[in-house]
Amino acid sequence: MAEEIMDKARDLVEGQIDFEGQRRAEGFATLLLAISALVAFNVGYLYQDIQKAVYIGLGGTAFTFLAVVPPWPVYNKNPMKWLPAGSGWQ
């Protein structure tokens, strides 16, 4: 039981994501950053306040960081099957 919990924790800390998960994370980061930039610009323009625009932009960047950087399980749904060590090229 404890070993099983440790294995799950180790997998989470190691940051295993697959190639499809990398593509998904890149697209998600681009989308979130673009949306936060548009919202920040529009709020800053509407209120004529650069400080609000900067805070909204920083908040969007922090949210994007939390959504993309940790190895969430959604980014590891298609793991690759690698060949065992020593097989293949001789």
Side-chain angles (χ1 to χ4, degrees):
M1 173 85 171
E3 187 174 322
E4 186 176 312
I5 293 172
M6 288 300 294
D7 287 340
K8 287 184 180 182
R10 190 176 303 115
D11 287 343
L12 185 64
V13 172
E14 284 179 0
Q16 298 293 325
I17 66 172
D18 56 25
F19 294 118
E20 183 66 25
Q22 288 177 353
R23 187 188 64 77
R24 189 177 298 130
E26 181 183 0
F28 197 49
T30 303
L31 179 69
L32 286 175
L33 288 174
I35 289 171
S36 68
L38 287 172
V39 170
F41 177 79
N42 287 326
V43 168
Y45 184 76
L46 181 68
Y47 291 106
Q48 292 294 302
D49 189 359
I50 189 73
Q51 188 175 12
K52 286 182 184 176
V54 169
Y55 284 148
I56 291 171
L58 289 174
T61 302
F63 178 73
T64 302
F65 179 85
L66 290 175
V68 174
V69 171
W72 300 110
V74 72
Y75 299 135
N76 196 20
K77 288 188 175 181
N78 304 310
M80 278 225 142
K81 303 291 185 213
W82 298 98
L83 292 175
S87 66
W89 299 98
Q90 299 278 337

